[in-house]
Amino acid sequence: MKTYRFLSVLFLIIFLISACGAPAVEHPPLKLGWSLWPGWYPLVIAQEKGFFEKHGVEVELSFYPLYGQTLAELDSGKVDAGALVVGDALPLATDGKTKIVLITDNSSGGDSILVPADISSPAELRGKRIGVGLGTFGEVLVREMLKRNNILIGDVTLVDVPPEKLPDALGKTVDAGHTYEPFTTQAIQGGYHAIFSSAETPGLIPDVFVFRSSVAAERPEDVRAFIAAFFEAQEWWLANPDEGAALIAQATGLTPADISTDGLKLFNRNDNVNAFKPGEDTTSLFFTTQLYTDFQILTGRLNSAPDLNQMLDASFLPQ
Amino acid sequence: MKNWFSKLLADTNEEGRNFFAIALIMFGAGILSLPLYVYLAIQDGSWQLYVILGTVIFFLIASGLSAVLSRQNRTTAALTWLLGGLFLIVPIIAAMVVGVGIVLAVTVVVVTILIVRQTLSGRRATKTVLRGVVTAILTVAIDVYVPWERASYPLLSTFIPYIAGAGILGISIYVLRGYRQYSLSTKLIGGFLLMTLIPLGVIFFFNNRSTRQILTDNANTALSASAAAAAQELDAFMNGSLTQVRSTAQSSILAEYLALSPSKRAGSETETVLYKELRAIASRDPIYITSVGLIDTQGTDIADTYGADIGLSKAKRIWFTTPVENGLPYVSPLEFSEATGLYSIYFSAPIRNVEGEIIGVLRMRYNANILQKIIVNSAENENITDSFTVLFDENHIRLAHSARPELITKSVIPFTLDKLAQLQEANRLPKGATVEEYSTNLLELEQRLSDVDNQPIFSAEFSATAGELDQAATVRMKSQPWLVAAAQPINTFLVPAQTQTRASAILVTLIAVVVAFIGSFVAQSLSAPIVRLTAVAEQIAAGDNNVQASIETQDEIGVLAGAFNTMTAKLREFIASLEQRVADRTRNLELAAEVGRSVSQVRALDVMLKDAAELIRSQFELYYVQVYLTDASQTNLLLLSGTGHVGEQLVGRGHRLPLNLSSINGRAATEKKAVVIADTATNATFRPNPLLPNTRSEMAVPLIVGEKVVGVLDLQSEKANALSRELLPAFEALAGQLAIAIQNANLLAETEQARAEVEAQARRLVRANWADYLDAIHKPEETGFVFQQNKVRPLTQEEETQSVEKEKGNSWASPIEVTGEALGNLVVELDEQTFVARGNELVNTVAQQVAQHIEALRLLESAERYRAEAEEASRRLTREGWKTYVENAEESLSYFYDLKEVKPHHGNGQAESAVALPLKVRDEVLGKLAIQGIDADDSRALELVNAVAERLSTHIESLRQQDQTQIALTQSEKLFEASRRLTQAADLQQLVDTTVTAMKIPAINRAILVAFNYDDSGSIANLDVIANWWNGTGHQATSVGTHYPLEMIRAMPLFVSSTPVFFNDAFNDERVDATTMQLVHRLNLRAVAVLPLHTSAGQIGALIVEAEVPHNFTTEETRLFIALAPQIATIVDNQRQFERAQKQAERETMLNVISQKIQSATSVEAVLQIAARELGHALGAPMTVAQLSMKDKS
């Protein structure tokens, strides 16, 4: 009798072990590359405040001093996601390798075209050397400004200057240029002023999170959790601006004074939902993305046009 | 130590001590291993080791608890804790550490077997070992199937095969050592399992090995291809990029722009075209090409798609100096930029003018991630499961890693500090880099990577954290001194082999189970008949030889069973014949005893012998039995009895044989040894008796008393070999009894004859003499005295009549007899109160005393009278000169009386003239009485002399007869003495003790010997306990002297029996009635044996043997009882006789007193007076009469 009891216990143990047999695949942390941009500061908040953890996702943030590095890191697979401007995501999107899953913000005055003090209107820029990250949203903004002021692209010389290098390059290799905060402030301190900003082009410069399609397909829950945590961080920051600024300053090495959401509009869930709808102007991400696509085709940067329906994926937004 | 140990285990039994020792050993082992596990856990820090540490601590507690429980003799609980602890930790360790399952499984089985061997046996042992085996299987299963990550100790894995091998060897030796003890079915099952599992195991082993080999080969091929493809892509990229830079450098716009003076460059048309050109190059890979720049001969970046670099000096950069120096395009190694924090690859080519002079350098900067992208793409394209591709530079720094990008820029083994500084100087590593930060420590991988030219395919750990061995194929790049390694975890590509192993393990287990089942069935069917046969053999060994082995098969076992049955049949037959022989012999002895008993009744010799012969013949179913007796001369054997007609005939004609060796019977008598002729047909000396033609075997047994042969018992049978030496003891015993009976009969006959003669003579004499004495001349014809009221007075005529009448009333009367002649009466009148035990006997005895004494007195008085007469005659002879007669008396035995004294007579009396009278007894002349000097005519004198002579003759004869009687009596005394010696246990207590001891039945705790007292009618009146025995346990035996009236003994019929009665359990015996049952319960009588004691007179009592526990009396015991019964009876009888004799002696004492007084009397009157008085005194009788009367008899 005892033997049977003993055997039954043993078989129970074996059964339990077998039940454990379906291994819970342990995920490595979600790796996200980013560079300095106020719209992305909630990443720091979410990390520091434990919102990622709260939503059940481990996130490893890789900060790159150079924005372009995010592209290379994401493309070479070193990170799973990157914080990018929408146009830069296009070369990555060939063969459906990446997806845009979230609009973090929209530049609304955050991006500016800075000109020397002696220039007071865009028309005066004719014949000037304008520093801009060629092929980037900066060029799109510059082109938009030139287009609005009826200046042909041939009337100016576009010099490839990354926005973070612009304060240094101004007055040396270029006469004017595009940059954003905190470099805008630096440039203004150097005697420059803005004659055009993204406030005049709503929706033209959306900042997004781009995920590798493979990661999005394999770990949709992690992506959803990540986005949910990010939204929570956004809200928290808006509710606690000072505390948020202190946190961000501590993590990024900036001064709290430099930290604000001025010049950009943070996109919450509803904004995202709206933007992820097709439309006929830049408020629709589809439209804007198409715009960038056209621009890059125009500038000979794309071998093929990406499939926007596949590339723009709102399915990870919280319900 | 020893003392301490034994003190500690003072109250612990053997089993407990064993357990304690083992628990202590286990505890010690746990304590010893604990520091190791603590060290490992702290060192490694993995949770698995902490779990193991926890279980080891639990095991310590369990074994400690087990030791404590063992000490308290609670061995079952101790075993549960001990083995429970063991059975728990082993699977847990297997679940926590990779690859120790088999060793642990073997260990747990070995340890369990060792523990069980020391402590358990039987079913419990088997069960526990089974548990150990199940735990072992579980452990192996866990080792194979456990899903989670486990700690790994490569060192352990190295030793595991050896440990496992040793363990398996140990078990094998152990199993083989015990081989002899295993049952047949176990051996068969074991054999089946071995025969099945060994080939299977070998097949699976080789199959698995070849599978592994094939899988490894396939993996190697795939990895080699993958590495080659990656290398090719990298080379293509390198070469393509270089070609791009080189060819673009030929573009005239570059030279044109460089030819412009710096001041004219900005904003010039040339500049626009140049930038277009540069951007076109950059747009080739907008993600990775981070800069395309133009550097003048001074090393200044004069135009750049990465604006931040414009104007900076690059004069010291190798990618600038090298092309300027050797005119060839250049590819840089990975260079770190402190400014951007990025690694880059630089492609540069010299720009020449039309004269061929180098006027600048075109430089293209690639983000180093391009290498990672190429590697990842390549790896993805290859699509090998879990495979990864790594790019190592010449310093074995990882440049790309498709699976673990975090390892990029890290070297395989730590750098020396010099090397680090050197690399930092060359911008190969960041300035702040430390050795720890930028290296892993994979020595084996380093060695393998150093040796790839010899062994491009190898296995090594590619990452320390993964902890698994990878199979790798390497290919050297052509464009760079870099290595591309494609690797795959061995466990990944060996998955099919492992699946196969698992499937095999399951299959082997299933086959083992099936084989075990089939094996047990076959073993059962093979061994069951043998087991049954064994059981049958054991039954036979235990004494039951009626069992039969069933023959179930026609194979060897069936044959064996048949042979077995034959054997048991033979055995049965043999035992039966043996039993028959024993029974025969016992019967013979019993018959001999019976015959002996029946002949021991002393009767007329011829009748007794006749009966004996017939009895022997009929009891032993013989043909003819005869008894010869030796004659007085010891020269002949006289046939005294023979059976049947032949016997009568032979006895009738006085058949006799000479006492010599000429005949069988003669020889037996002569040699005093039995002669046996088993088969007359084969015996040369046998001479057949014509009257007994059917005799086929004969036996002559001498009848011997002491040393004297008194006769021969001759037995003849019609069957050859019927009378054999085997029967001799029975017949010798018979012959002995017969001899004694003959002797007794002879003696009895002689004694009786002598006594009869004496009595007859004495009577005659007494009658004559008394008639003479009470001749009414000298004495009155009647005389008597009365003792009344303490006075003796003469008996009057009236009283005489009264006393005679009173004899019929309340009185004792005894005749006063002399040699059977009643001379008077002794009468004691009794009143109610004066009862004296056996007073009647006393009266009788006194009467005899009186008779004797008055006879003596009469003789004395007669003698006086004769003397007076003789004196008178003598005087007359004197007077008439008979003195001469005396002197002339016979020479031979003659005496003469010379008035003074009697003197021997010499001289010839016949010459004298004398009266000589012959002394005759029954007409035989014994001698003569001669008186001289008596005239022959003196009739008066002659008469006297005649009378004297007659008296003399009679007296002489009487004296002779008395001598003879004395001899007979002495012989009887000797016999009595012999029988007394025979019954050495004179004491009845001792007798009972001896009897019970002889029984040898331990259950018996008491015994009582009861004697029956019979009343006048011959039925039992009551019974007395005359002896008892008690072994000191249970109820005491009924004490000696206890008197049971008949009415108390309801169960009396049980005691009165001709055969012993046995109660195996009186409590449950139907023969016991309710009333007796109460007594039985009160005395707690369970087993009872009632042994009736019979003598020739009937049952004299019973020996009751009792036990307070039930006991089944065996045949042997009952036989012993039956055999002992007559002996006990005889001894008891003797004893009682003896007691009676003692009482008799008491009476004799009383009698003596009376006798002495009687003898002191000098006259008959005085005698009668004394008799009357003393008897009256002694018996307290109111009146005693002693009377003599010859009135009616004269």
Side-chain angles (χ1 to χ4, degrees), chain B residues 855-919:
Chain B
E855 171 70 357
L857 285 172
R858 184 193 60 75
L859 285 172
L860 195 65
E861 280 188 36
S862 297
E864 282 289 321
R865 257 195 254 170
Y866 299 146
R867 192 179 58 80
E869 283 172 11
E871 273 176 8
E872 196 184 313
S874 157
R875 271 194 302 276
R876 219 177 291 152
L877 280 172
T878 306
R879 256 192 330 266
E880 293 169 21
W882 71 281
K883 193 175 179 177
T884 320
Y885 280 95
V886 173
E887 284 171 357
N888 294 330
E890 273 184 359
E891 265 182 39
S892 61
L893 209 60
S894 304
Y895 299 87
F896 68 90
Y897 181 66
D898 63 357
L899 298 178
K900 286 175 186 165
E901 55 187 312
V902 178
K903 290 175 182 170
H905 174 69
H906 303 287
N908 191 354
Q910 286 187 332
E912 313 259 341
S913 142
V915 174
L917 290 167
L919 297 172

Side-chain angles (χ1 to χ4, degrees), chain A residues 10 75 78 129 134 160, chain B residues 134 271 279 288 305 342 369:
Chain A
L10 277 182
D75 188 59
K78 285 183 171 178
R129 295 169 69 86
L134 288 179
D160 196 6
Chain B
V134 171
E271 190 185 47
R279 259 183 230 113
Y288 295 100
T305 58
L342 297 174
N369 280 352

Side-chain angles (χ1 to χ4, degrees), chain A residues 1-3 6-7 10 13-14 17 20-23 31 64-66 68-69 71-79 88 91-92 97 129 134 157-162 164-165 169 173 212 299-301, chain B residues 76 80 87 127 130-132 134-135 138 141-142 145-148 265-267 271-272 275 279 283 286-288 304-308 310 339-340 342 367-370 372-373 376-377 380 405-406 408:
Chain A
M1 211 49 217
K2 265 192 164 178
T3 312
F6 181 73
L7 283 175
L10 277 182
I13 291 168
I14 292 169
I17 286 169
C20 298
K31 280 186 263 180
Y64 304 116
L66 273 179
Q69 182 68 9
L71 276 172
E73 297 281 330
L74 183 59
D75 188 59
S76 63
K78 285 183 171 178
V79 292
D88 296 335
L92 297 170
K97 270 167 71 179
R129 295 169 69 86
L134 288 179
T157 304
L158 294 182
V159 178
D160 196 6
V161 176
E164 54 270 31
K165 295 283 184 185
T173 56
R212 293 174 70 81
T299 54
R301 287 167 184 272
Chain B
T76 310
T80 309
F87 292 169
K127 272 188 193 172
L130 197 72
R131 282 172 205 185
V134 171
T135 306
L138 181 72
I142 284 173
Y145 290 105
V146 80
W148 57 77
R265 286 173 190 162
E271 190 185 47
T272 309
Y275 269 98
R279 259 183 230 113
S283 71
I287 297 169
Y288 295 100
D304 206 309
T305 58
Y306 181 63
I310 295 168
T340 60
L342 297 174
N367 188 319
N369 280 352
I370 188 68
Q372 176 71 5
K373 181 184 165 65
V376 168
N377 278 346
E380 278 172 6
E406 67 271 17
I408 293 170

Side-chain angles (χ1 to χ4, degrees), chain B residues 309 313-323 330 335-337 344 346 365 427:
Chain B
D309 269 9
S313 174
K314 311 287 182 185
K316 289 186 178 168
R317 304 294 284 269
I318 298 167
W319 52 261
F320 171 75
T321 54
T322 309
Y330 173 78
E335 277 189 26
F336 182 74
S337 161
S344 301
Y346 295 88
R365 190 177 70 194
N427 288 327

Side-chain angles (χ1 to χ4, degrees), chain B residues 701-704 710 713 729-742:
Chain B
V701 188
L703 305 174
I704 301 169
V710 297
L713 171 66
F731 288 118
E732 275 177 341
L734 196 55
Q737 285 178 315
L738 213 53
I740 289 167
I742 291 164

